[in-house]
Amino acid sequence: MAHTAPAEPDPARQRPDQHRTEQHRPRPRRWYRQLYVQVLAAIVIGVLVGWQWPDIGSAMQPIGTTFIAAMKMLIGPIVFLTIIGGIANVADLRKVGMTGLKALTYFQVGTIVALLIGLVAINIARLGEGVHADPAKIQASGTAQQYVEQGEGQHWWDVFTQLVPESFFGAFVEGDILQIIFLAVLFGIAIKAVGAVGEPIVAGVNRLTEVVFKVLSFVMKAAPLGAFGAMAYAVGAFGLSTLSSLGSLIALFYATSIVFVLVVLGGFLAAYVRLNIFALLRYLKDEFFLVLGTSTAEPALPGLMRKMTFMGAERATVGLVVPTGYSFNLDGAAIYLSLATLYIAQATDTPLSIGQQLGLLAIMLLTSKGAAGVAGGGFIALTATLSTIGTVPAAGIMLIFGIDKFMSECRALVNFYGNAVATLAIAKWDGNLDLDRARRVLADRNSAERADAMAAEDTAEPVAAPAPGAPRESEAELPGAAAR
């Protein structure tokens, strides 16, 4: 019997969603158009400008601060809309409450582990011994004095009393993520409670969310410029010479943070979620360089939410865990607080027993929550910690003020990756993580670009519902999807 060649598929008979997938399949971008390459180049140029021409570098501050301000302008609406949409689309409100409770439990355990690792590291290295600084002769001035006064005015209970904003728009004006989360949860529950009356509002929230993310994509095009301005200012204003004066403390902080991310977070991610930390680091490379260049994790929040959802975590879980983690899951700040507190105690010859050091954990567990969302947040939280315990002289913070800027990048990066792992862990705990899809996304070296392309595509036009049994459009673009 003669064999006939299979007929060519008729384009007219292809499914609309299949045709759209092939039409909009993202093409690999050239290396110089990758966001992380552009941001990395901007960081290098910024360091060179700040090093060789300090005056010019210091003058670049408005560029960096303007970009960060533009990002913060969008974070409030994104968090508010995402949480409302997530809660309103959950069938059982008790599930939202359980997710929040699990997240807070995870955050507290993670913070305790980070604090303990910092305490162990500084007790082993004992870098402060031999400094013999006299607290009576240490004086704070300028910006440092403002941070000290602000930190001394804070209390451990402020994180609870400041949860409720004085007005609805006040939370957005101040950019307080915790207050915005509080409002969003209330609105989300209320919309869910009114039933059919709230359905048009939910549809409007979903559409408005897409518009805000489109605005975000416009702002992100200026990310290399923002990274250049922030890095040029940091090096120009503070100078590379400050790195040599307390380089050992900076090196210890970075080494401890790397161990925490790769060993602690990486080990937990592999053992519980069954994912590889190095693949996750590669997947979030754009956000890595963005945080590194701007010294704050906030500009990377929208990208983290988008990529966690693309990996297969349920949108409602991502919308609740990621923003909450930016206020409560600050592993980098926790490591910094324990290291800095013990270093100052050693440098000022203030003896602290093991019992006293463990007692510090209870205080730092709360004061670390104030290290996000404000300029000099880590330094302010350190001042609040020392002022609360009263044992270690608060004036000693001037010993490390000069290098605080160079430690802020590492704090922000650890906070960022801590929240990425937390989101995947809570999604797995809740049964809201498509693990097979997550593995395929991490195995695909172009998955980050695919996530960006899918976000842009979903914003451009509505997605037609796939035929029964057909893979979702985002799945169809991943390697191995056809084999399923």
Side-chain angles (χ1 to χ4, degrees):
M1 179 180 294
H3 294 278
T4 58
E8 294 293 332
D10 184 3
R13 307 182 74 176
Q14 291 181 346
R15 294 192 311 271
D17 60 308
Q18 179 183 354
H19 177 69
R20 178 173 173 265
T21 299
E22 295 175 354
Q23 185 181 19
H24 293 270
R25 188 180 301 278
R27 296 178 180 178
R29 287 180 291 179
R30 296 185 182 274
W31 64 270
Y32 55 83
R33 298 188 63 184
Q34 303 281 351
L35 178 62
Y36 77 94
V37 174
Q38 297 175 353
V39 173
L40 178 59
I43 291 174
V44 173
I45 296 173
V47 171
L48 292 176
V49 170
W51 176 32
Q52 295 294 329
W53 303 282
D55 293 339
I56 296 177
S58 300
M60 296 296 105
Q61 182 184 18
I63 299 177
T65 54
T66 300
F67 172 74
I68 295 175
M71 291 296 299
K72 289 185 176 182
M73 169 188 71
L74 297 173
I75 288 176
I78 287 175
V79 170
F80 184 73
L81 295 171
T82 303
I83 292 180
I84 288 180
I87 293 177
N89 288 305
V90 173
D92 188 357
L93 283 178
R94 289 178 297 181
K95 184 179 179 181
V96 176
M98 288 303 300
T99 299
L101 182 60
K102 291 175 182 178
L104 292 176
T105 302
Y106 176 95
F107 295 160
Q108 294 301 88
V109 173
T111 302
I112 292 174
V113 173
L115 289 169
L116 286 172
I117 289 179
L119 289 178
V120 171
I122 193 64
N123 273 288
I124 293 176
R126 308 198 70 81
L127 298 178
E129 291 185 348
V131 177
H132 304 301
D134 185 358
K137 298 180 180 180
I138 301 176
Q139 294 183 349
S141 60
T143 304
Q145 180 62 32
Q146 296 176 8
Y147 288 159
V148 169
E149 294 175 354
Q150 189 173 349
E152 289 177 342
Q154 290 188 350
H155 308 88
W156 63 266
W157 60 80
D158 287 345
V159 67
F160 302 108
T161 58
Q162 296 176 0
L163 178 63
V164 182
E166 295 182 359
S167 66
F168 176 84
F169 294 104
F172 294 90
V173 172
E174 298 295 331
D176 193 314
I177 295 181
L178 199 56
Q179 292 182 352
I180 294 173
I181 293 173
F182 177 78
L183 290 174
V185 171
L186 287 182
F187 271 75
I189 294 175
I191 292 174
K192 185 70 176 178
V194 297
V197 177
E199 291 180 359
I201 300 178
V202 176
V205 166
N206 292 334
R207 289 180 170 85
L208 187 56
T209 301
E210 298 295 344
V211 173
V212 174
F213 269 103
K214 176 55 72 173
V215 175
L216 172 68
S217 69
F218 298 152
V219 175
M220 284 298 296
K221 294 183 184 300
L225 193 61
F228 162 77
M231 191 58 64
Y233 165 72
V235 177
F238 297 95
L240 291 176
S241 59
T242 57
L243 295 176
S244 59
S245 61
L246 289 173
S248 58
L249 181 59
I250 297 176
L252 179 63
F253 178 51
Y254 274 75
T256 305
S257 299
I258 292 173
V259 170
F260 178 80
V261 171
L262 298 183
V263 178
V264 178
L265 293 181
F268 174 75
L269 188 67
Y272 180 67
V273 190
R274 303 294 183 182
L275 295 176
N276 185 280
I277 186 66
F278 294 100
L280 183 64
L281 296 179
R282 183 182 67 244
Y283 178 58
L284 298 173
K285 60 182 179 297
D286 286 353
E287 287 71 24
F288 170 87
F289 288 108
L290 182 61
V291 174
L292 181 65
T294 58
S295 300
T296 175
E298 287 189 336
L301 184 150
L304 178 61
M305 295 176 68
R306 182 178 64 249
K307 289 187 175 180
M308 290 295 101
T309 304
F310 185 77
M311 277 186 66
E314 190 174 273
R315 188 182 299 271
T317 302
V318 173
L320 184 62
V321 175
V322 172
T324 307
Y326 265 64
S327 293
F328 286 98
N329 189 37
L330 305 174
D331 297 329
I335 296 174
Y336 167 81
L337 282 179
S338 56
L339 277 177
T341 301
L342 266 293
Y343 174 84
I344 293 172
Q346 295 170 3
T348 56
D349 298 322
T350 304
L352 291 177
S353 64
I354 297 298
Q356 288 176 312
Q357 292 182 31
L358 293 178
L360 292 176
L361 292 180
I363 301 298
M364 290 188 286
L365 195 61
L366 294 172
T367 54
S368 63
K369 311 308 179 188
V374 293
F379 198 71
I380 294 172
L382 176 60
T383 305
T385 301
L386 299 183
S387 301
T388 301
I389 61 179
T391 306
V392 182
I397 59 178
M398 287 303 300
L399 297 174
I400 63 171
F401 178 71
I403 62 171
D404 182 76
K405 175 62 181 176
F406 296 99
M407 301 172 81
S408 61
E409 289 89 350
C410 189
R411 282 199 304 264
L413 285 170
V414 177
N415 292 343
F416 173 77
Y417 285 117
N419 282 311
V421 174
T423 303
L424 295 172
I426 300 303
K428 170 75 180 299
W429 191 358
D430 257 354
N432 295 331
L433 177 64
D434 187 342
L435 191 55
D436 290 337
R437 173 172 175 77
R439 287 169 177 162
R440 293 199 308 276
V441 167
L442 294 184
D444 180 14
R445 292 185 176 273
N446 296 320
S447 55
E449 289 74 22
R450 296 180 192 277
D452 294 337
M454 287 300 299
E457 188 177 340
D458 289 341
T459 304
E461 55 179 313
V463 180
R472 289 177 301 181
E473 187 170 335
S474 55
E475 291 180 348
E477 298 193 1
L478 294 174
R484 297 181 61 212

